[in-house]
Amino acid sequence: MVGQGVAQRQMMEDLETVLYTEEQILTRIRELGEQLTVEYRGKVPLLVGVLKGAVMFLSDLVKRMSIPLEIDFIAISSYGLSTQSSGVVRILKDLDRDVDGRHVLIVEDIVDSGLTLAYLRDVLARRHAASVRIAALFDKPGRRQVPIRPDYCGFTVPNAFIVGYGLDYAERYRNLPCAGILKEDVYRSSESAHT
Ligand code: IMP
Ligand code: MG
């Protein structure tokens, strides 16, 4: 228990700013869940979580949706420079469910360039989903390279690198219950450590 507290404090120290507390995030997710409950009433939507960042958002969101629904996961990776999405996307783990005729809601942690989601939306449409919509916890519209807009969005964030509440830097910080901007010297120092 003591160890956990120390680890958490260290992660918090790597944040430049806390953008949203756990409580603020959960309040917003409750609102989105209520909205989605109304919009998908009578439809049994298939929620597709994009691994791994969307896991926490998805799990909190579905608990706030009081209609029958199904959950599936997809893992994708984009080729290119490590910090920049190239738009060439590869499916690492495909869906278990057939989406033909289903009302699909893609659940994503953050929309940045939009390239990943544009690809995923096309894949699902080609598989004859009845509808494809996007729910993103965070939206960074200032970085967009393709015209894509989440249909449901938790928060609009500035052009900065966000971690916590599922979002990672080099697989770390996903377990921070809040979301914040990562200090630049954290990635500068680890970049030099890896080269
Ligand atoms: P896009 O194809 O550029 O929109 O890439 C979106 C993906 O990049 C997200 O699903 C995240 O995994 C990752 N990403 C983009 N911005 C951030 C960020 O600020 N923090 C953490 N991950 C991010
Ligand atoms: Mg992601």
Side-chain angles (χ1 to χ4, degrees):
M1 285 301 159
V2 172
Q4 257 181 9
V6 171
Q8 177 110 343
R9 205 159 53 237
Q10 275 171 356
M11 288 193 286
M12 290 299 289
E13 279 168 10
D14 289 344
L15 297 186
E16 186 186 296
T17 334
V18 172
L19 290 176
Y20 302 104
T21 63
E22 181 178 24
E23 200 187 347
Q24 288 172 317
I25 294 170
L26 290 173
T27 298
R28 183 69 186 115
I29 292 176
R30 189 172 304 124
E31 291 169 0
L32 288 174
E34 285 165 6
Q35 191 186 349
L36 288 163
T37 296
V38 173
E39 304 222 359
Y40 283 99
R41 185 153 279 147
K43 285 204 176 112
V44 192
L46 177 65
L47 274 68
V48 170
V50 184
L51 292 172
K52 304 171 213 168
V55 164
M56 309 209 182
F57 176 37
L58 180 99
S59 73
D60 284 327
L61 184 65
V62 292
K63 284 180 276 183
R64 304 297 168 205
M65 292 177 66
S66 49
I67 47 167
L69 55 81
E70 291 172 21
I71 295 171
D72 204 345
F73 291 98
I74 194 164
I76 47 194
S77 97
S78 53
Y79 286 114
L81 299 173
S82 58
T83 53
Q84 298 247 288
S85 196
S86 64
V88 184
V89 179
R90 189 165 59 111
I91 295 176
L92 298 176
K93 183 239 168 268
D94 208 337
L95 299 172
D96 298 331
R97 309 288 295 169
D98 186 0
V99 301
D100 195 338
R102 300 299 306 268
H103 292 282
V104 176
L105 180 67
I106 301 172
V107 180
E108 179 58 304
D109 52 0
I110 186 165
V111 192
D112 189 35
S113 70
L115 293 166
T116 307
L117 277 178
Y119 169 84
L120 192 51
R121 194 180 54 181
D122 290 351
V123 166
L124 296 171
R126 259 186 273 128
R127 293 181 185 178
H128 309 292
S131 68
V132 181
R133 290 190 195 162
I134 297 165
L137 182 58
F138 300 113
D139 186 14
K140 234 193 266 183
R143 299 246 315 161
R144 207 70 94 245
Q145 290 179 34
V146 286
I148 197 157
R149 233 184 107 247
D151 301 279
Y152 308 94
C153 169
F155 305 97
T156 301
V157 293
N159 283 354
F161 200 79
I162 317 291
V163 293
Y165 203 82
L167 287 92
D168 73 307
Y169 169 66
E171 295 300 328
R172 304 284 179 89
Y173 305 101
R174 292 194 198 277
N175 58 328
L176 263 183
C178 63
I181 297 175
L182 189 64
K183 281 180 185 162
E184 252 182 60
D185 57 309
V186 174
Y187 39 98
R188 262 209 308 269
S189 66
S190 75
E191 267 161 25
S192 57
H194 289 303
T195 48

